[in-house]
Amino acid sequence: MKICVVGLGRIGTPLAAQFAAKGHHVVGVDVNPRIVDHLNAGTEPFPGETGLADALAAAHAAGTLRATTDHADAVPGADAVVIVVPLLVDEQTWLPDFSIMDAATAQVAASLTAGTLVSYETTLPVGTTRHRWRPLLEQGSGLVEGTDFHVVFSPERVLTGRVFRDLRRYPKLIGALSAAGAARAREFYEAVLDFDERDDLPRANGVWDLGSAEASELAKLAETTYRDVNIGLANQFARYAARCGVDIYRVIEASNSQPYSHIHRPGVAVGGHCIPVYPRLYLSGDPDATIVRAAREANAAMPDYTVSLVTAALGGLAGRRVAVLGAAYRGNAKDTVLSGVFPVVAALEAGGAAVVVHDPFHTPDELRALGFEPYGRGEAADAVLVQTDHAAYREWGAVDVPGAAVLVDGRNVTDPVRWTGLTRIVVGQPAP
């Protein structure tokens, strides 16, 4: 097959490499010429994706993958076009901003030829595939969906850093606008993906047809919104437990020993490409979902709450130097998309603190590019706030931050034995 992948970010590039590894001819499209140049040279455009460097090098050597900035060079004659470009959310209104996806869809439509399957993998509000993308594709191409071409929604269900593993591990969901489109989508994904055998599913792994684009859209929103709601509940439990003098981590462990309970871990922030964003996409279609809204608000309040623990322990932030450990939104990764580091630093600075930031995966220049003053292990500070659960921070201790009177661990990652001689506070545990 000839396959076009539109959007060569942290999901699109591994997808393109996966398709090429199955022997198909793949053309990737991206507006960023730097990414295009990397793929045409067979090198990875960003670090941290397991197996990507080898996959791109192999595809380059085999001549099965190339990239371009021109949709007209990639879309015509494609058996399938997979679109995985960003859908943004307005921070003030919480409503989706379709501008980037609208532009990408219009460019695909302008070069679309008969016989193509168009698959959207970007997470969407329910109804978007049928009521927004189908009309745009038909108007821009002059073709008729269901007759001349087919449209399917098939959400990505992978985590950056382990995309290839997750592509094998999880069922591939599809939801088309017609039975013929569903058949084409099944045929396509079975030809480009491999699936591991699983014993923990009620049904076999592979391609799962949910019967409609709307069902597939809702399935992706449901699985990610569930996580946000669960974490929001854990954060509320954590704040209450601390007031009661109870260790929430022991409570969660005890609760989860019973199979009907699966409480997630509390923490200083919920970040990343998915969990802070997709509940808002859900709410754009179901604004009366009070549970979803309350959980999102609870999670968004955690950075300020965590900073308040530092403030109370120090007796104020004015003139204090605070070291924030971790810029990434999750541990052992180099990814700062919607990371809690941004609201944490903003709240500390609003209180008058001089803030410095450390991350083992970022150089000092990279931290400066993010707007932070870098911190080096061994430098003096008045307080420490752990924002990311990098494994490296398990080895840190009070000797690594001379002069620190307070440690606030927002992820329960630090070793209490290493942090004696100061006030150590963990979110969800009673204050000493």
Side-chain angles (χ1 to χ4, degrees):
M1 288 187 290
K2 177 186 175 182
I3 303 169
C4 171
V5 177
V6 180
L8 298 173
R10 291 183 175 271
I11 305 299
T13 291
L15 277 181
Q18 167 67 31
F19 301 161
K22 297 291 288 184
H24 304 288
H25 297 280
V26 182
V27 184
V29 186
D30 201 276
V31 297
N32 187 333
R34 183 190 69 82
I35 293 178
V36 167
D37 290 343
H38 267 289
L39 265 66
N40 285 331
T43 57
E44 58 182 348
F46 38 77
E49 187 58 56
T50 303
L52 181 59
D54 291 342
L56 290 175
H60 180 69
T64 53
L65 174 60
R66 67 179 181 88
T68 179
T69 58
D70 185 5
H71 290 74
D73 177 32
V75 175
D79 295 286
V81 176
V82 176
I83 301 176
V84 55
V85 299
L87 175 58
L88 306 180
V89 174
D90 185 276
E91 284 299 311
Q92 301 302 316
T93 65
W94 283 19
L95 294 175
D97 176 359
F98 289 103
S99 57
I100 295 176
M101 291 200 73
D102 282 346
T105 297
Q107 289 178 302
V108 168
S111 298
L112 192 63
T113 50
T116 300
L117 171 72
V118 180
S119 178
Y120 286 89
E121 294 213 5
T122 304
T123 304
L124 302 170
V126 174
T128 304
T129 304
R130 186 181 305 275
H131 300 297
R132 192 180 192 97
W133 304 142
R134 179 175 66 177
L136 283 176
L137 289 168
E138 289 183 333
Q139 293 164 11
S141 67
L143 303 174
V144 178
E145 192 280 326
T147 301
D148 301 318
F149 69 97
H150 296 287
V151 177
V152 63
F153 178 73
S154 180
E156 57 83 8
R157 307 177 74 203
V158 298
L159 190 65
T160 56
R162 62 182 205 196
V163 171
F164 295 112
R165 172 199 176 276
D166 288 350
L167 285 173
R168 297 189 307 270
R169 178 68 174 159
Y170 305 131
K172 185 59 173 164
L173 309 182
I174 61 171
L177 303 184
S178 67
R184 280 290 307 277
R186 178 183 293 279
E187 179 184 20
F188 169 70
Y189 281 111
E190 287 180 345
V192 297
L193 298 178
D194 301 293
F195 296 101
D196 293 338
E197 293 293 330
R198 292 187 62 178
D199 297 324
D200 58 340
L201 284 174
R203 294 169 54 192
N205 201 356
V207 179
W208 288 21
D209 181 6
L210 298 191
S212 70
E214 289 80 5
S216 189
E217 289 164 340
L218 182 54
K220 178 57 189 286
L221 292 178
E223 68 185 25
T224 48
T225 299
Y226 160 80
R227 294 168 64 193
D228 196 47
V229 171
N230 194 318
I231 295 168
L233 183 63
N235 280 328
Q236 292 201 334
F237 284 162
R239 295 173 68 159
Y240 178 62
R243 295 198 304 270
C244 295
V246 172
D247 182 344
I248 193 58
Y249 293 94
R250 297 188 67 180
V251 170
I252 291 174
E253 181 183 16
S255 298
N256 290 352
S257 67
Q258 198 254 28
Y260 303 106
S261 177
H262 182 56
I263 304 169
H264 291 358
R265 291 167 61 89
V268 56
V270 176
H273 309 256
C274 303
I275 303 180
V277 176
Y278 298 159
R280 301 181 184 187
L281 298 184
Y282 178 87
L283 285 165
S284 70
D286 185 10
D288 296 327
T290 55
I291 293 172
V292 176
R293 186 175 300 277
R296 182 85 297 272
E297 291 171 349
N299 289 336
M302 286 303 292
D304 282 344
Y305 168 76
T306 307
V307 169
S308 75
L309 300 178
V310 182
T311 306
L314 284 177
L317 294 175
R320 303 287 193 159
R321 190 172 196 248
V322 180
V324 175
L325 303 188
Y329 80 87
R330 63 184 174 93
N332 307 318
K334 186 179 181 179
D335 197 338
T336 59
V337 171
L338 296 180
S339 172
V341 72
F342 298 104
V344 162
V345 169
L348 288 168
E349 290 179 340
V355 185
V356 288
V357 177
H358 177 274
D359 193 287
F361 294 90
H362 288 76
T363 67
D365 284 343
E366 288 172 332
L367 290 171
R368 290 188 187 96
L370 292 170
F372 304 133
E373 181 64 28
Y375 172 78
R377 187 174 184 176
E379 297 177 2
D382 297 297
V384 183
L385 189 155
V386 179
Q387 197 282 136
T388 311
D389 55 342
H390 290 313
Y393 295 142
R394 297 191 183 101
E395 306 302 320
W396 282 49
V399 297
D400 297 301
V401 192
V406 175
L407 163 72
V408 173
D409 186 345
R411 303 289 184 179
N412 194 23
V413 67
T414 57
D415 181 353
V417 175
R418 296 174 180 269
W419 291 91
T420 55
L422 49 66
T423 300
R424 177 178 176 270
I425 302 169
V426 177
V427 170
Q429 291 183 348

